[in-house]
PDB file of all heavy atoms in Angstrom:
ATOM      1  N   PRO B1581     -23.243  23.855  12.745  1.00 68.00           N
ATOM      2  CA  PRO B1581     -23.164  25.095  13.538  1.00 68.00           C
ATOM      3  C   PRO B1581     -22.396  26.209  12.848  1.00 68.00           C
ATOM      4  O   PRO B1581     -22.787  27.383  12.927  1.00 68.00           O
ATOM      5  CB  PRO B1581     -22.447  24.637  14.817  1.00 68.00           C
ATOM      6  CG  PRO B1581     -22.673  23.170  14.891  1.00 68.00           C
ATOM      7  CD  PRO B1581     -22.705  22.702  13.482  1.00 68.00           C
ATOM      8  N   LEU B1582     -21.302  25.868  12.159  1.00 76.00           N
ATOM      9  CA  LEU B1582     -20.522  26.902  11.487  1.00 76.00           C
ATOM     10  C   LEU B1582     -21.308  27.521  10.343  1.00 76.00           C
ATOM     11  O   LEU B1582     -21.254  28.742  10.115  1.00 76.00           O
ATOM     12  CB  LEU B1582     -19.203  26.311  10.977  1.00 76.00           C
ATOM     13  CG  LEU B1582     -18.193  27.305  10.402  1.00 76.00           C
ATOM     14  CD1 LEU B1582     -17.852  28.377  11.425  1.00 76.00           C
ATOM     15  CD2 LEU B1582     -16.926  26.577   9.974  1.00 76.00           C
ATOM     16  N   GLY B1583     -22.063  26.692   9.614  1.00 75.00           N
ATOM     17  CA  GLY B1583     -22.913  27.231   8.558  1.00 75.00           C
ATOM     18  C   GLY B1583     -23.944  28.190   9.108  1.00 75.00           C
ATOM     19  O   GLY B1583     -24.187  29.265   8.533  1.00 75.00           O
ATOM     20  N   MET B1584     -24.554  27.821  10.242  1.00 73.00           N
ATOM     21  CA  MET B1584     -25.547  28.700  10.869  1.00 73.00           C
ATOM     22  C   MET B1584     -24.910  30.018  11.321  1.00 73.00           C
ATOM     23  O   MET B1584     -25.472  31.096  11.125  1.00 73.00           O
ATOM     24  CB  MET B1584     -26.180  27.994  12.069  1.00 73.00           C
ATOM     25  CG  MET B1584     -27.035  26.791  11.698  1.00 73.00           C
ATOM     26  SD  MET B1584     -27.646  25.872  13.141  1.00 73.00           S
ATOM     27  CE  MET B1584     -28.735  27.098  13.854  1.00 73.00           C
ATOM     28  N   LEU B1585     -23.698  29.924  11.924  1.00 77.00           N
ATOM     29  CA  LEU B1585     -23.020  31.124  12.412  1.00 77.00           C
ATOM     30  C   LEU B1585     -22.665  32.066  11.270  1.00 77.00           C
ATOM     31  O   LEU B1585     -22.916  33.281  11.331  1.00 77.00           O
ATOM     32  CB  LEU B1585     -21.764  30.726  13.190  1.00 77.00           C
ATOM     33  CG  LEU B1585     -20.886  31.882  13.691  1.00 77.00           C
ATOM     34  CD1 LEU B1585     -21.664  32.742  14.673  1.00 77.00           C
ATOM     35  CD2 LEU B1585     -19.606  31.337  14.327  1.00 77.00           C
ATOM     36  N   LEU B1586     -22.090  31.508  10.196  1.00 83.00           N
ATOM     37  CA  LEU B1586     -21.706  32.346   9.063  1.00 83.00           C
ATOM     38  C   LEU B1586     -22.926  32.986   8.414  1.00 83.00           C
ATOM     39  O   LEU B1586     -22.880  34.154   8.005  1.00 83.00           O
ATOM     40  CB  LEU B1586     -20.931  31.512   8.037  1.00 83.00           C
ATOM     41  CG  LEU B1586     -19.524  31.072   8.439  1.00 83.00           C
ATOM     42  CD1 LEU B1586     -18.936  30.139   7.395  1.00 83.00           C
ATOM     43  CD2 LEU B1586     -18.620  32.286   8.634  1.00 83.00           C
ATOM     44  N   GLU B1587     -24.015  32.216   8.343  1.00 82.00           N
ATOM     45  CA  GLU B1587     -25.237  32.775   7.750  1.00 82.00           C
ATOM     46  C   GLU B1587     -25.771  33.926   8.591  1.00 82.00           C
ATOM     47  O   GLU B1587     -26.230  34.946   8.056  1.00 82.00           O
ATOM     48  CB  GLU B1587     -26.282  31.664   7.613  1.00 82.00           C
ATOM     49  CG  GLU B1587     -27.514  32.063   6.805  1.00 82.00           C
ATOM     50  CD  GLU B1587     -28.548  32.807   7.638  1.00 82.00           C
ATOM     51  OE1 GLU B1587     -28.639  32.519   8.860  1.00 82.00           O
ATOM     52  OE2 GLU B1587     -29.245  33.678   7.090  1.00 82.00           O
ATOM     53  N   GLN B1588     -25.693  33.783   9.909  1.00 79.00           N
ATOM     54  CA  GLN B1588     -26.178  34.837  10.792  1.00 79.00           C
ATOM     55  C   GLN B1588     -25.309  36.093  10.703  1.00 79.00           C
ATOM     56  O   GLN B1588     -25.798  37.215  10.777  1.00 79.00           O
ATOM     57  CB  GLN B1588     -26.230  34.328  12.226  1.00 79.00           C
ATOM     58  CG  GLN B1588     -27.312  33.280  12.460  1.00 79.00           C
ATOM     59  CD  GLN B1588     -27.178  32.582  13.805  1.00 79.00           C
ATOM     60  OE1 GLN B1588     -26.313  32.919  14.602  1.00 79.00           O
ATOM     61  NE2 GLN B1588     -28.029  31.592  14.042  1.00 79.00           N
ATOM     62  N   LEU B1589     -23.989  35.886  10.526  1.00 86.00           N
ATOM     63  CA  LEU B1589     -23.070  37.023  10.438  1.00 86.00           C
ATOM     64  C   LEU B1589     -23.097  37.691   9.067  1.00 86.00           C
ATOM     65  O   LEU B1589     -22.829  38.894   8.952  1.00 86.00           O
ATOM     66  CB  LEU B1589     -21.640  36.568  10.758  1.00 86.00           C
ATOM     67  CG  LEU B1589     -21.375  36.102  12.195  1.00 86.00           C
ATOM     68  CD1 LEU B1589     -19.951  35.570  12.324  1.00 86.00           C
ATOM     69  CD2 LEU B1589     -21.627  37.234  13.181  1.00 86.00           C
ATOM     70  N   THR B1590     -23.386  36.914   8.023  1.00 88.00           N
ATOM     71  CA  THR B1590     -23.355  37.445   6.658  1.00 88.00           C
ATOM     72  C   THR B1590     -24.681  37.156   5.963  1.00 88.00           C
ATOM     73  O   THR B1590     -25.661  37.871   6.155  1.00 88.00           O
ATOM     74  CB  THR B1590     -22.175  36.842   5.878  1.00 88.00           C
ATOM     75  OG1 THR B1590     -22.295  35.397   5.863  1.00 88.00           O
ATOM     76  CG2 THR B1590     -20.835  37.209   6.528  1.00 88.00           C
ATOM     77  N   SER B1591     -24.717  36.113   5.152  1.00 89.00           N
ATOM     78  CA  SER B1591     -25.934  35.643   4.481  1.00 89.00           C
ATOM     79  C   SER B1591     -25.660  34.228   4.008  1.00 89.00           C
ATOM     80  O   SER B1591     -24.507  33.772   4.003  1.00 89.00           O
ATOM     81  CB  SER B1591     -26.285  36.530   3.282  1.00 89.00           C
ATOM     82  OG  SER B1591     -25.308  36.363   2.251  1.00 89.00           O
ATOM     83  N   TRP B1592     -26.723  33.529   3.591  1.00 90.00           N
ATOM     84  CA  TRP B1592     -26.489  32.157   3.139  1.00 90.00           C
ATOM     85  C   TRP B1592     -25.652  32.135   1.862  1.00 90.00           C
ATOM     86  O   TRP B1592     -24.845  31.218   1.654  1.00 90.00           O
ATOM     87  CB  TRP B1592     -27.808  31.418   2.944  1.00 90.00           C
ATOM     88  CG  TRP B1592     -28.645  31.830   1.744  1.00 90.00           C
ATOM     89  CD1 TRP B1592     -29.643  32.742   1.720  1.00 90.00           C
ATOM     90  CD2 TRP B1592     -28.536  31.309   0.409  1.00 90.00           C
ATOM     91  NE1 TRP B1592     -30.170  32.850   0.451  1.00 90.00           N
ATOM     92  CE2 TRP B1592     -29.522  31.973  -0.379  1.00 90.00           C
ATOM     93  CE3 TRP B1592     -27.723  30.362  -0.207  1.00 90.00           C
ATOM     94  CZ2 TRP B1592     -29.698  31.708  -1.734  1.00 90.00           C
ATOM     95  CZ3 TRP B1592     -27.895  30.092  -1.563  1.00 90.00           C
ATOM     96  CH2 TRP B1592     -28.871  30.762  -2.316  1.00 90.00           C
ATOM     97  N   ARG B1593     -25.801  33.137   1.028  1.00 93.00           N
ATOM     98  CA  ARG B1593     -24.996  33.190  -0.205  1.00 93.00           C
ATOM     99  C   ARG B1593     -23.514  33.387   0.124  1.00 93.00           C
ATOM    100  O   ARG B1593     -22.642  32.709  -0.429  1.00 93.00           O
ATOM    101  CB  ARG B1593     -25.490  34.319  -1.111  1.00 93.00           C
ATOM    102  CG  ARG B1593     -26.892  34.099  -1.659  1.00 93.00           C
ATOM    103  CD  ARG B1593     -27.258  35.170  -2.672  1.00 93.00           C
ATOM    104  NE  ARG B1593     -28.624  34.996  -3.155  1.00 93.00           N
ATOM    105  CZ  ARG B1593     -28.971  34.133  -4.113  1.00 93.00           C
ATOM    106  NH1 ARG B1593     -28.048  33.386  -4.687  1.00 93.00           N
ATOM    107  NH2 ARG B1593     -30.233  34.037  -4.504  1.00 93.00           N
TER     108      ARG B1593
END
Side-chain angles (χ1 to χ4, degrees):
L1582 187 57
M1584 293 174 66
L1585 176 62
L1586 289 174
E1587 189 277 329
Q1588 291 169 4
L1589 294 175
T1590 58
S1591 68
W1592 72 266
R1593 294 187 183 279

